[in-house]
Amino acid sequence: MALDELKSAVPDFAKDLKLNLGSVIGNSDLPKQQLWGTVLACAIASRSARVLRELEPEAKANLSAEAYTAAKSAAAVMAMNNVFYRTRHLLSDPEYGTLRAGLRMNVIGNPGVEKVDFELWSLAVSAINGCGQCLDSHEQVLRKAGVDRETIQEAVKIASVIQAVGVTLDAEAVLAE
């Protein structure tokens, strides 16, 4: 199992990450599609080749072709949206918030999977990318759809652990050169 290989690659000084990786994925209460879509989207968003290489095959095996593509689409569109909306939010001139975005985001309206799943994946990617406006937007859509806070927090925990594992393993690879 690739998850076990990834856990074994985490150095001893980051034992908490190893334990958390096993628990947030291995003991998740999320339905399989929500879990593995979140894992795939976050592995992509982590920008860690090692994390993506290790987690993608298991994600692909646990997702339908449509869900696999939708999770990759969530990572892609949020990579753009998180930069755009975070920048508009951070600029001190509020006029930027009144300007038309003019960016295509059609996949959000028709992701090819349940809207709740896509929103959860988008929220998790937004957590990695640090866009508060996108986090608020996706959280509100999820809450209006009846998703509880515990489910939303579970996706954020997956995002945080995958990101931390990617940072740690990438740093160790550089230091080993």
Side-chain angles (χ1 to χ4, degrees):
M1 173 191 260
L3 179 58
D4 289 334
E5 289 179 34
L6 191 58
K7 285 176 14 185
S8 69
V10 175
D12 288 340
F13 71 81
K15 182 180 178 182
D16 289 331
L17 297 182
K18 183 183 304 195
L19 296 171
N20 287 332
L21 185 62
S23 69
V24 299
I25 296 175
N27 298 327
S28 177
D29 290 329
L30 292 177
K32 186 167 67 168
Q33 180 166 295
Q34 286 183 356
L35 170 64
W36 287 103
T38 302
V39 168
L40 179 58
C42 290
I44 293 168
S46 78
R47 297 175 184 87
S48 171
R50 173 86 187 262
V51 167
L52 183 56
R53 263 194 312 274
E54 297 291 343
L55 294 176
E56 184 275 341
E58 196 162 352
K60 191 170 191 175
N62 281 286
L63 293 169
S64 67
E66 296 81 12
Y68 178 81
T69 299
K72 293 193 317 181
S73 295
V77 76
M78 295 319 296
M80 173 186 71
N81 283 358
N82 293 155
V83 170
F84 181 79
Y85 288 105
R86 182 179 62 236
T87 299
R88 276 193 3 180
H89 175 73
L90 292 172
L91 289 169
S92 60
D93 184 348
E95 289 299 312
Y96 288 102
T98 67
L99 300 176
R100 182 179 169 276
L103 298 172
R104 296 206 182 266
M105 307 171 219
N106 294 328
V107 72
I108 294 173
N110 187 19
V113 294
E114 291 292 325
K115 181 93 167 132
V116 164
D117 294 352
F118 192 82
E119 289 288 334
L120 192 67
W121 304 336
S122 296
L123 176 127
V125 170
S126 296
I128 290 173
N129 292 333
C131 181
Q133 189 171 1
C134 292
L135 281 166
D136 281 343
S137 175
H138 294 292
E139 189 267 348
Q140 289 169 13
V141 170
L142 288 164
R143 295 290 292 142
K144 284 180 187 166
V147 176
D148 59 35
R149 286 179 179 87
E150 291 78 13
T151 298
I152 293 167
Q153 181 169 292
E154 192 161 346
V156 173
K157 286 171 30 178
I158 292 167
S160 67
V161 172
I162 287 175
Q163 173 68 8
V165 168
V167 167
T168 300
L169 293 180
D170 289 355
E172 287 297 288
V174 169
L175 294 172
E177 290 178 357

